[in-house]
Amino acid sequence: MIWYALLVAAVAVERVGELVVARRNERWSRARRAIVRGDGHYPAMVALHVGLLVGCPLEVGLGGRPFVPALGWPMLAVLVGAQALRWWCIRTLGPRWNTRVIVVPGLPLVARGPYRLLRHPNYVAVVAEGVALPLVHTAWVTAVAFTVLNAAVLTVRVRCENQALAASVAT
């Protein structure tokens, strides 16, 4: 259980790193007259992701969830892959990447890196992480709850982001 708590803590530290990058990128974007959208759903998204990080070790500890190697090791590999995909997205978008929906008017859509393959690859990473992190240690209730709630949040988020990007490119 200790190693799993350390894994979840490492993911939490990674998230803090993302927030540092996002704040820096927000300053860059605002200096270029960026448009911010989706502030209404952002707190729900943050709460959901905090809930994932709290729910995983809580369910494992309180529910006595065992580590099942046949499930845990493949889910750890998926988790590592999700982190790699997320940072590929961050690197590809550079100062345009953010945890919020922030677009700089007039900039073309990015069509390189993972964006040449998928429109929203960062959300693929989020979905994979939301399933894999809990299932590394069989926290299936957390995995299901996060997945269902995340589907609702991402439905709103992707719609908001698509509208913001369309308006930005049209400007």
Side-chain angles (χ1 to χ4, degrees):
M1 169 61 184
I2 296 292
W3 69 266
Y4 184 64
L6 292 173
L7 175 65
V8 174
V11 171
V13 168
E14 186 273 334
R15 290 289 173 82
V16 171
E18 287 179 29
L19 292 174
V20 169
V21 171
R23 301 264 184 213
R24 182 188 67 220
N25 291 349
E26 182 175 355
R27 287 190 299 274
W28 180 90
S29 296
R30 286 185 185 273
R32 287 156 182 79
R33 300 182 320 274
I35 298 166
V36 180
R37 301 261 176 100
D39 280 342
H41 73 266
Y42 190 72
M45 189 176 79
V46 169
L48 179 61
H49 285 260
V50 169
L52 174 68
L53 295 172
V54 170
C56 287
L58 199 61
E59 180 179 351
V60 169
L62 295 177
R65 303 287 189 244
F67 175 74
V68 178
L71 177 64
W73 293 121
M75 289 298 103
L76 183 60
V78 170
L79 178 64
V80 169
Q83 300 308 319
L85 176 57
R86 174 178 288 118
W87 283 97
W88 187 19
C89 293
I90 292 169
R91 184 174 170 90
T92 299
L93 290 179
R96 295 166 67 176
W97 180 86
N98 211 293
T99 57
R100 296 181 176 276
V101 178
I102 302 176
V103 294
V104 177
L107 292 180
L109 292 177
V110 173
R112 64 184 190 286
Y115 294 90
R116 74 179 183 277
L117 306 170
L118 298 167
R119 183 156 173 107
H120 298 287
N122 192 69
Y123 301 140
V124 172
V126 169
V127 169
E129 179 186 73
V131 171
L133 181 60
L135 291 182
V136 165
H137 213 297
T138 64
W140 62 271
V141 173
T142 302
V144 170
F146 180 85
T147 299
V148 169
L149 294 170
N150 190 48
V153 169
L154 280 182
T155 298
V156 173
R157 173 71 173 213
V158 168
R159 186 178 310 119
C160 173
E161 193 168 306
N162 285 341
Q163 290 170 349
L165 288 169
S168 170
V169 172
T171 326

